[in-house]
Amino acid sequence: MTHYKYLNDSIPSCSGWGRTNLVGTPPDVAMADMSDGGKVYHTCGVVASDGHMECWGNNNCNRVSDAPTTGTYSFTSVGHVSSCAIVHTTATASCWGCATCGLASYD
């Protein structure tokens, strides 16, 4: 399992051991919000400078690659095989991840 934590100026860092099917690395920018869901293998965060979403880690069930690539967000929550984020402009949830769990690209 890989653990993520904040360092100086809210910039994420990772430690632990990697797994297969990894996508991306923690961005070297300050995050306004970041969630690793505890004992899961991916992390998502809202970039402080412009509110866009960044996700990295294990991509099983497309929990990283299906993350939104446009828009601004104010909060993110990561689960074992899915993630959700609050769209800043509408205060609605956008979710992505494992379709077999009933959550896949939900807006």
Side-chain angles (χ1 to χ4, degrees):
M1 176 177 352
T2 303
H3 296 277
Y4 297 91
K5 62 182 179 180
Y6 291 114
L7 285 183
N8 295 331
D9 300 320
S10 301
I11 296 173
S13 172
C14 61
S15 62
W17 52 279
R19 303 285 282 198
T20 60
N21 203 20
L22 296 179
V23 174
T25 58
D28 191 23
V29 295
M31 302 300 252
D33 181 70
M34 189 171 76
S35 175
D36 69 359
K39 295 183 176 185
V40 299
Y41 301 110
H42 73 292
T43 300
C44 291
V46 177
V47 176
S49 63
D50 63 7
H52 80 271
M53 180 68 55
E54 290 276 348
C55 295
W56 60 92
N58 186 295
N59 195 40
N60 288 348
C61 292
N62 297 324
R63 53 189 157 186
V64 173
S65 62
D66 281 352
T69 57
T70 61
T72 58
Y73 300 86
S74 55
F75 175 79
T76 182
S77 181
V78 171
H80 185 70
V81 293
S82 61
S83 298
C84 293
I86 301 299
V87 179
H88 181 71
T89 55
T90 62
T92 58
S94 177
C95 299
W96 61 95
C98 186
T100 60
C101 301
L103 285 175
S105 299
Y106 172 78
D107 287 316

